[in-house]
Amino acid sequence: MRIIYFISFLLLPCFLHAQAINQFPEVSSSYAVDSHSTWHLADLKQKEFQAFKQNDKVNIGYNKNAAVWCAFKIKNTQLSKGLKTWLCFNNNHIDSLSLYDGKEIKTIGDRTDARSPFIETLAFELNLQPGEEKIFWVRVKKETSFLDFSYSLENQSYLERKSSRKTALTSFFIGIVFLLLMINGILFLMTKNRLYVYYIGYSILTAFYTAITTNFAKHVLFPEFRFFSEGRVYTGALWYIALSIFLGHFLKLKENQPLKHKLIIVLGALNFLLILVSILLLVFYRDFEFRYIFVLGYIIFLASIVILFWSALIHLKIEKTQAIYALMAFAPQLVWGACLILKTFEIIPQSLGDNWMLFISLYEVFLFGYVLSRNYIDIFLKNNELMQQVIFEKETSLRAISEVQLRERRNIANIIHDNVGSKIAHIIHLFDMKNTKLAKHTITELAADIREISHKILPKALDEGALISSLQSQISSLNAGLTNAKIELFHYDFPDRIDEKWIYDLYLIALEVINNAIKHGNAELITLELYKYPKNYHFQFTDDGLGFDLHKTSKGFGLENIEKRVNYYKGNFEISSVKNEGTIIQINIPSNR
């Protein structure tokens, strides 16, 4: 028994489907083209009609003010109950559909105030009594455009399910688009990157185009609006112009592929010009042959697709990741656009439907929204890493400065302890011995020593800008105490007195370099050269010491401190050294005069 129940459960959908099929009436249909839209209902019996079946595509191509009359002979095969069904037309962008049911006329379409009960299709409700047979006439009208359509008879529950899904999906898509717009608007305010503006413009037009194409705008938002046919064409053209501009900046075509960037701009400008011209013609000269504008627009559209796809392929060699993102987003667009164009020119029998456009747009907006947000996050993380590095460099600099200051203080403390401290103790001892004469002489020597120490730490002449004389005096003092080394100073067009803030730092830098060359480099000859050029000062320090490998040995706190001092004055610091061949340090500092 359970097996029977299980089999019955599996077969139930089949029975229901068969029952649903049996509910459909017998139908025969035919159509005739009214080239100038001059026929009336009373004239139709004298016209020649061509038979067609459910879901057969009727395609009259480009038309100008033409109408198509359809005759539907429908019979309710049920003898016991009435039949309610819906006559559906699969093209949501027909200007007007007029159903003639006896004396009753129902009209829906883009050019009318009325709307279809279902977003999925343009549909008329048909009611037939048991065994009744009726003839329904339908007039299909679309001005100055390509016209194709097919029909089918559907039950209400099926149409409601499909319409509910489409409405929910379109609402979800538009909601997500505006959420991404808000996020990217915030990112633009934070970064001032124009790429976010292009993305926002492209996404807004995507949302509008999707709402019109899926019939969401007519069915939900603006049911009384009468110009969705033109709105669909113009919004689609503007949408693709915005997409081209966005992709051009996303792939940085202006910097990397300037010729293709110019072509994209020119094609976009031509498309925009076509929009303006066609609007003016629609307003002032409606009898114009718009076929040529449609054809030219499609050619420009196809050319843009090819150039952008080609640019993305070339960009693989420049920025592989960005190019892959562009290709991933653009490949579905390329297929959809190519199918649309080929279908328009009747090269292929069928193109991808409006739902494909919805999915492709959703996919693109999501992808680029993700990519732009990820790029911002990557930049934020890199900036954060850079800030950490800057903080680390500042801490290192502070430690270096602290060490230099500590070393200088130790030197001063040693000098004071060894010279000043011992002499003061000797003076006190002389006073205790009541040897006033010798004590006065020692005090005089102590004053001279203090002046000399002060001069060594920072010569008074530096206050007057005498850098050369201060260095000469210090070098003479150093040379007097050296046995195996010699320091030389040369200056070329260098002024005796200069008025620059860095004069004190450069004096200390020179002493630091000399100390390093003697202490660490075991140099025998140290040469200092000072040059004055019209826009900058140049200093070169050369020694014949041990040298070092710049790639294997760090600069140390002393050289790092020198470099930081030079950079503070917007100068340039360069060091070159070869092991066992000495070291050359060059410093350039711009002149303030």
Side-chain angles (χ1 to χ4, degrees):
M1 184 63 70
R2 292 180 180 178
I3 295 174
I4 294 173
Y5 287 154
F6 179 70
I7 294 174
S8 301
F9 177 76
L10 291 177
L11 293 176
L12 181 61
C14 298
F15 291 135
L16 292 175
H17 180 66
Q19 185 180 1
I21 291 175
N22 289 334
Q23 287 181 353
F24 282 117
E26 289 181 359
V27 57
S28 63
S29 52
S30 57
Y31 75 94
V33 179
D34 178 8
S35 301
H36 302 288
S37 296
T38 57
W39 297 355
H40 297 283
L41 194 62
D43 305 327
L44 298 181
K45 293 181 180 180
Q46 303 172 4
K47 305 298 180 181
E48 184 176 349
F49 279 72
Q50 181 178 343
F52 74 116
K53 298 179 180 179
Q54 287 194 61
N55 300 313
D56 284 352
K57 184 77 72 173
V58 175
N59 188 350
I60 65 170
Y62 177 82
N63 80 95
K64 184 179 177 183
N65 201 33
V68 180
W69 285 88
C70 300
F72 299 97
K73 183 184 288 187
I74 302 175
K75 182 179 180 180
N76 182 6
T77 58
Q78 298 281 334
L79 300 177
S80 59
K81 61 179 181 179
L83 174 70
K84 177 181 177 181
T85 188
W86 291 85
L87 177 62
C88 303
F89 290 80
N90 74 335
N91 187 342
N92 270 320
H93 304 291
I94 294 172
D95 288 344
S96 66
L97 274 175
S98 298
L99 174 72
Y100 297 85
D101 181 7
K103 295 182 179 181
E104 184 180 6
I105 302 175
K106 299 176 183 178
T107 303
I108 55 177
D110 277 353
R111 287 279 193 216
T112 69
D113 293 336
R115 64 177 181 177
S116 171
F118 308 103
I119 189 174
E120 180 66 26
T121 184
L122 297 176
F124 293 107
E125 181 182 356
L126 304 181
N127 292 285
L128 287 89
Q129 298 299 320
E132 182 182 11
E133 182 180 82
K134 293 180 70 173
I135 295 178
F136 299 93
W137 298 94
V138 177
R139 183 175 182 268
V140 183
K141 175 71 174 176
K142 189 168 179 65
E143 297 180 6
T144 318
S145 182
F146 293 88
L147 174 59
D148 61 8
F149 64 90
S150 64
Y151 86 94
S152 63
L153 295 174
E154 307 290 353
N155 63 61
Q156 184 168 335
S157 60
Y158 170 76
L159 293 175
E160 286 175 346
R161 286 197 305 271
K162 288 194 70 175
S163 294
S164 296
R165 285 198 300 267
K166 192 169 187 177
T167 302
L169 183 60
T170 307
S171 301
F172 172 75
F173 167 74
I174 294 174
I176 290 296
V177 168
F178 281 99
L179 175 63
L180 291 171
L181 289 178
M182 182 179 67
I183 294 172
N184 282 275
I186 294 171
L187 293 179
F188 169 71
L189 294 175
M190 295 173 66
T191 63
K192 304 301 180 183
N193 187 344
R194 286 190 298 174
L195 187 61
Y196 292 107
V197 176
Y198 299 132
Y199 172 79
I200 290 170
Y202 150 66
S203 298
I204 290 174
L205 289 170
T206 300
F208 276 114
Y209 185 59
T210 302
I212 295 174
T213 301
T214 59
N215 203 31
F216 186 84
K218 177 71 174 177
H219 186 78
V220 177
L221 301 177
F222 312 106
E224 297 181 358
F225 188 70
R226 294 191 175 194
F227 300 98
F228 280 118
S229 294
E230 290 82 1
R232 179 172 178 248
V233 174
Y234 296 141
T235 305
L238 290 172
W239 164 73
Y240 200 78
I241 292 171
L243 174 62
S244 302
I245 294 173
F246 169 73
L247 281 176
H249 282 80
F250 183 78
L251 295 173
K252 300 177 182 177
L253 295 186
K254 189 174 183 180
E255 297 83 3
N256 301 320
Q257 302 178 60
L259 179 59
K260 293 184 182 63
H261 172 74
K262 290 179 181 178
L263 286 173
I264 292 296
I265 295 299
V266 169
L267 291 174
L270 287 174
N271 242 334
F272 189 72
L273 183 63
L274 282 178
I275 293 172
L276 294 179
V277 170
S278 63
I279 290 174
L280 291 174
L281 290 172
L282 280 172
V283 174
F284 298 107
Y285 189 50
R286 296 185 64 86
D287 292 332
F288 182 80
E289 187 67 42
F290 286 91
R291 180 198 304 265
Y292 306 110
I293 290 182
F294 280 117
V295 172
L296 183 56
Y298 280 127
I299 291 172
I300 294 172
F301 176 67
L302 182 60
S304 299
I305 289 177
V306 172
I307 291 172
L308 282 171
F309 195 73
W310 184 20
S311 301
L313 289 174
I314 294 175
H315 200 74
L316 285 169
K317 300 178 182 178
I318 303 170
E319 286 182 286
K320 188 175 180 180
T321 304
Q322 298 293 86
I324 289 174
Y325 283 137
L327 288 172
M328 286 172 60
F330 202 63
Q333 192 67 249
L334 179 65
V335 173
W336 183 84
C339 288
L340 175 65
I341 294 171
L342 294 174
K343 169 63 177 63
T344 301
F345 292 106
E346 300 181 9
I347 298 173
I348 60 175
Q350 191 171 356
S351 66
L352 299 175
D354 293 343
N355 286 339
W356 277 97
M357 174 61 204
L358 179 63
F359 291 125
I360 290 171
S361 301
L362 180 62
Y363 163 72
E364 281 184 348
V365 171
F366 263 124
L367 179 65
F368 283 124
Y370 162 75
V371 171
L372 293 180
S373 301
R374 180 181 174 181
N375 287 348
Y376 172 77
I377 292 171
D378 288 343
I379 292 171
F380 175 79
L381 292 175
K382 287 180 181 177
N383 288 341
N384 189 49
E385 184 179 348
L386 183 61
M387 286 299 297
Q388 294 295 330
Q389 187 175 353
V390 169
I391 292 171
F392 176 76
E393 289 290 332
K394 287 183 177 180
E395 290 176 350
T396 304
S397 300
L398 289 173
R399 284 198 300 269
I401 292 170
S402 297
E403 287 206 9
V404 171
Q405 290 177 342
L406 183 60
R407 187 177 63 193
E408 295 296 331
R409 288 175 179 178
R410 283 175 178 170
N411 290 336
I412 294 171
N414 289 335
I415 292 171
I416 293 173
H417 179 271
D418 295 341
N419 293 329
V420 178
S422 60
K423 285 190 176 181
I424 289 175
H426 182 58
I427 291 169
I428 294 172
H429 178 69
L430 290 175
F431 276 116
D432 290 340
M433 298 287 295
K434 298 185 178 181
N435 191 345
T436 307
K437 184 177 180 182
L438 187 56
K440 289 181 179 180
H441 178 72
T442 306
I443 289 172
T444 304
E445 289 180 353
L446 178 60
D449 288 345
I450 290 173
R451 281 195 300 272
E452 185 179 354
I453 292 170
S454 174
H455 184 74
K456 285 181 179 179
I457 294 172
L458 207 62
K460 183 67 177 176
L462 283 177
D463 292 338
E464 300 173 358
L467 177 60
I468 293 176
S469 62
S470 299
L471 287 173
Q472 285 174 335
S473 175
Q474 186 62 32
I475 289 171
S476 298
S477 177
L478 290 172
N479 278 329
L482 296 174
T483 56
N484 299 321
K486 183 180 180 182
I487 306 169
E488 294 181 343
L489 173 66
F490 300 97
H491 52 94
Y492 306 93
D493 297 328
F494 201 93
D496 292 332
R497 298 184 183 277
I498 56 174
D499 183 16
E500 299 284 356
K501 294 180 180 179
W502 44 258
I503 186 171
Y504 302 99
D505 281 304
L506 197 73
Y507 175 81
L508 296 174
I509 286 171
L511 297 185
E512 179 73 21
V513 170
I514 292 170
N515 181 65
N516 286 343
I518 296 171
K519 185 177 179 180
H520 302 294
N522 295 328
E524 295 181 358
L525 178 62
I526 304 163
T527 305
L528 280 68
E529 298 173 86
L530 285 68
Y531 301 83
K532 174 65 175 74
Y533 295 106
K535 295 184 179 180
N536 67 291
Y537 294 91
H538 180 78
F539 307 91
Q540 181 168 299
F541 307 92
T542 309
D543 70 67
D544 61 354
L546 297 175
F548 60 93
D549 189 341
L550 290 170
H551 300 290
K552 295 181 180 180
T553 307
S554 63
K555 293 179 181 178
F557 286 137
L559 291 177
E560 282 190 1
N561 188 47
I562 291 172
E563 185 173 8
K564 284 177 172 43
R565 288 183 184 182
V566 173
N567 291 337
Y568 176 78
Y569 296 108
K570 298 180 181 180
N572 183 43
F573 174 86
E574 293 182 6
I575 180 170
S576 58
S577 183
V578 178
K579 201 167 183 180
N580 299 320
E581 293 186 16
T583 302
I584 300 175
I585 294 175
Q586 298 187 81
I587 295 173
N588 281 291
I589 299 179
S591 173
N592 292 329
R593 297 179 179 276

